[in-house]
Amino acid sequence: MTFTEWFIFFFVIQVAHGLGTWKLYIKAGRQAWEALVPVYNAVVLMKIINRPWWWTILLFVPIVNLIMFPVVWVETARSFGKNTTTDTVLALITLGFYNYYLNYVADVTHVKDRSLHPKSAAGDWISSILFAIVAATIVHTYFIQPFTIPTSSLEKTLLVGDFLFVSKFHYGARLPMTTVAAPMVHDTIPFLNVKSYLSKPELPYMRLPGFQKIKRNDIVVFNWPVDTMLDMRHTDKFYYKPIDKKTNYVKRSVGIPGDTLSIKDGYVYINGKQNVLNDRARIQFSYDVTFKGQISSNAQVYEILKRFDMTDGLGYDQESETWIIPAATEEAVARAKNHPNIASIEIRKDVMGNRDSGIFPMNPAYDWNNDFFGPLYIPEKGKTITLTAENLPLYKRVISVYEGRELSVNGNQISIDGQITNQYTFSQDYYWMMGDNRHNSQDSRVWGFVPFDHVVGKPVLVWMSWDGKSPRWERFFTTVGGNGKLVSYFIPFLVLLGLIFGFNTWRKRKANK
């Protein structure tokens, strides 16, 4: 929906509210016109139902308001003496239109200064749970979101089984585009395996101000730009998903807006200089390996590899009849070469000019592959480039899909929104996201640029880590990124938690004396 469509929708909602409650406002000692003034009517309504004014804010927070509106419908009925279970059910199933009955038909009286304390233990329990969900939804949507590392594309930097806290506010929290969705789940409701949201109505893209820009080599969580997953099990290349419901990915932003990126012999170059990562990052490549000596089982092979921190298993190339180590660091390989059961380890790299049809932009004019790629300019907001028939394959998806322009080509003639042109000015920033596992990562080399409107947030903390069998205690409460040795803050966290608990216990005992 456009901003104009949302304005009309908002106006209709306000008129519907005013027509359905103006008599109730009068019975509560207010003026009829107060029911028709947008936002102000909600502030007044909070006074009528004896709730704090800041509930008004929650009514306009996407996703949270899905919980708050039913609460307000029920609270309005109860503020006019309608407290039965039947009244509550009618308020909910009529989506608030029960107010029309109260406004025009029922003989009701406003209950001033009514008690807000639930009349039963069950009511108290439901109230507590409800507002715990509201608080958790606000935190999850606008501040911090938990995230799990599912694949090894950043292995040795972030491990499969790492549980992250991802900050939404570093780069600016993105407001939900899907306005009707289950809180605190992504695109699929667990166990039910059904879609967790309605595609319509959909808010335009909006983002709160952040206090930090994405820097080169930052690890970033973003929505997979080419996602067409119908749900977590089914893919349909024609299936539309709102941006904020596309699958979450985590990669390293090796190229930022305005950079010119190339890959030479597997190494990333930015603006002509080799990209240098921090000392915690661990670049990995694939290797051919041959064994010698007494190898009695696959388990023995895996044990040898594990000794050198090669944890992605072992592959086999049927064509060349060679064993493959999918991912290993150069340091690990240098140590492994001295093992008595390893005859040789040779890096697997493509050659310059050998086109990989699965590599961006998937066009015969570009003979790029995983190890030799570019040069490629990464679009920057407000910057203008000259478009040609040659470079159009690089930016076609940016212009037509991410920026929503109508693009057509007639021979060497390019038209955008019906106008013939040879230039284009980008309306947002773009990033080049890659995994540290350079030969075993689906990243921008496959699907291209990541628009800023797809950015979710910045991983800041590994709060738990699980290797599939046992916890990795040394990774609990460790920071993401940075230099120097990995330091766990788990023990200080437990000490702080104990101090807080002890202080609260002491304070309660002192208050009871």
Side-chain angles (χ1 to χ4, degrees):
M1 294 177 72
T2 64
F3 282 101
T4 300
E5 290 170 334
W6 266 105
F7 177 80
I8 294 172
F9 178 74
F10 177 76
F11 179 76
V12 170
I13 292 295
Q14 295 300 315
V15 170
H17 173 79
L19 293 176
T21 59
W22 65 274
K23 284 188 176 182
L24 298 180
Y25 276 62
I26 293 174
K27 290 179 179 181
R30 308 297 302 197
Q31 300 296 315
W33 62 266
E34 292 180 300
L36 295 164
V37 180
V39 183
Y40 176 70
N41 55 10
V43 175
V44 174
L45 182 61
M46 294 309 113
K47 294 181 179 179
I48 292 173
I49 66 176
N50 199 23
R51 290 296 185 177
W53 66 270
W54 51 262
W55 273 30
T56 303
I57 298 174
L58 301 181
L59 293 176
F60 293 93
V61 177
I63 304 300
V64 175
N65 55 13
L66 295 179
I67 304 170
M68 293 305 301
F69 274 120
V71 171
V72 170
W73 299 334
V74 172
E75 291 287 296
T76 300
R78 291 178 178 176
S79 294
F80 289 89
K82 297 297 183 177
N83 296 303
T84 67
T85 301
T86 300
D87 293 314
T88 299
V89 171
L90 287 173
L92 294 174
I93 65 174
T94 62
L95 302 181
F97 282 96
Y98 186 54
N99 287 337
Y100 275 73
Y101 167 75
L102 301 181
N103 195 60
Y104 292 107
V105 179
D107 182 17
V108 295
T109 302
H110 180 238
V111 182
K112 190 175 181 181
D113 298 326
R114 69 185 179 94
S115 172
L116 301 180
H117 187 73
K119 293 180 171 58
S120 66
D124 190 36
W125 182 80
I126 292 171
S127 179
S128 298
I129 291 295
L130 184 66
F131 285 99
I133 293 173
V134 169
T137 301
I138 292 173
V139 171
H140 181 276
T141 306
Y142 298 98
F143 294 96
I144 295 287
Q145 177 180 343
F147 183 84
T148 307
I149 298 294
T151 68
S152 61
S153 66
L154 284 167
E155 192 76 9
K156 307 311 173 213
T157 305
L158 293 175
L159 307 183
V160 174
D162 278 352
F163 291 78
L164 308 178
F165 280 144
V166 176
S167 164
K168 300 288 188 73
F169 54 85
H170 273 76
Y171 305 139
R174 185 182 59 191
L175 274 65
M177 298 175 186
T178 47
T179 57
V180 182
M184 294 185 295
V185 297
H186 194 53
D187 62 341
T188 306
I189 297 177
F191 306 112
L192 298 178
N193 289 321
V194 296
K195 193 169 70 170
S196 66
Y197 62 94
L198 298 180
S199 297
K200 300 292 182 181
E202 183 179 332
L203 279 172
Y205 165 71
M206 292 179 285
R207 186 183 290 272
L208 299 175
F211 66 86
Q212 186 180 98
K213 288 188 175 182
I214 298 175
K215 299 188 290 292
R216 191 178 297 119
N217 297 325
D218 273 358
I219 295 176
V220 179
V221 173
F222 57 94
N223 297 114
W224 186 27
V226 295
D227 182 21
T228 54
M229 296 287 284
L230 182 62
D231 53 39
M232 294 307 290
R233 297 177 299 166
H234 303 95
T235 300
D236 179 350
K237 66 180 180 178
F238 301 112
Y239 186 75
Y240 168 77
K241 295 179 76 171
I243 291 173
D244 60 334
K245 292 303 177 184
K246 292 181 178 181
T247 301
N248 288 327
Y249 265 46
V250 58
K251 305 288 181 186
R252 189 183 299 278
S253 178
V254 297
I256 61 175
D259 282 346
T260 296
L261 175 142
S262 58
I263 301 174
K264 302 174 185 178
D265 199 29
Y267 297 97
V268 173
Y269 287 76
I270 301 295
N271 304 323
K273 296 182 179 181
Q274 186 171 339
N275 190 32
V276 179
L277 302 179
N278 63 57
D279 56 11
R280 283 195 197 172
R282 295 289 183 268
I283 300 299
Q284 297 189 99
F285 296 102
S286 295
Y287 293 84
D288 290 330
V289 59
T290 56
F291 298 97
K292 63 182 180 180
Q294 294 296 321
I295 301 292
S296 59
S297 65
N298 287 340
Q300 183 183 352
V301 173
Y302 294 139
E303 190 60 36
I304 292 171
L305 298 180
K306 186 178 179 181
R307 188 178 305 176
F308 300 103
D309 202 21
M310 300 176 186
T311 54
D312 268 18
L314 190 68
Y316 188 75
D317 189 332
Q318 297 282 356
E319 187 173 329
S320 62
E321 296 183 343
T322 56
W323 291 98
I324 303 169
I325 298 173
T329 64
E330 292 174 325
E331 296 86 351
V333 168
R335 290 186 290 111
K337 285 181 176 180
N338 296 320
H339 193 277
N341 290 117
I342 293 180
S344 68
I345 303 181
E346 300 295 333
I347 196 165
R348 293 173 61 91
K349 285 188 179 178
D350 217 327
V351 296
M352 182 183 295
N354 183 31
R355 176 176 175 260
D356 185 335
S357 61
I359 293 296
F360 178 85
M362 301 177 188
N363 185 285
Y366 291 87
D367 55 359
W368 295 349
N369 56 56
N370 260 333
D371 298 308
F372 291 91
F373 185 97
L376 174 68
Y377 171 75
I378 302 173
E380 182 178 7
K381 182 179 180 180
K383 293 298 176 69
T384 301
I385 64 167
T386 299
L387 289 177
T388 65
E390 288 72 29
N391 70 5
L392 186 61
L394 301 175
Y395 303 106
K396 182 178 180 180
R397 183 174 178 84
V398 166
I399 296 169
S400 61
V401 178
Y402 303 145
E403 308 218 338
R405 310 295 289 273
E406 186 179 335
L407 186 148
S408 61
V409 180
N410 185 11
N412 288 329
Q413 193 176 78
I414 300 170
S415 297
I416 298 178
D417 294 338
Q419 300 294 318
I420 297 174
T421 184
N422 69 343
Q423 291 191 321
Y424 185 74
T425 302
F426 299 103
S427 63
Q428 65 173 316
D429 286 330
Y430 292 82
Y431 299 85
W432 196 258
M433 305 290 188
M434 288 177 59
D436 293 348
N437 195 338
R438 292 295 161 79
H439 288 157
N440 194 21
S441 170
Q442 186 181 78
D443 52 35
S444 284
R445 289 170 294 180
V446 177
W447 30 258
F449 305 106
V450 174
F452 184 58
D453 63 11
H454 282 59
V455 170
V456 174
K458 178 177 182 175
V460 292
L461 187 74
V462 177
W463 62 274
M464 188 180 78
S465 187
W466 183 266
D467 67 5
K469 297 180 180 179
S470 59
R472 304 184 187 101
W473 295 109
E474 73 282 359
R475 296 187 64 81
F476 277 48
F477 283 79
T478 56
T479 56
V480 176
N483 289 294
K485 185 179 178 181
L486 195 68
V487 178
S488 172
Y489 295 94
F490 186 49
I491 298 301
F493 168 75
L494 292 178
V495 171
L496 178 62
L497 202 63
L499 290 173
I500 293 173
F501 178 78
F503 174 75
N504 286 335
T505 302
W506 171 80
R507 188 178 60 177
K508 288 179 180 178
R509 288 179 178 177
K510 186 176 180 181
N512 291 332
K513 288 183 179 179

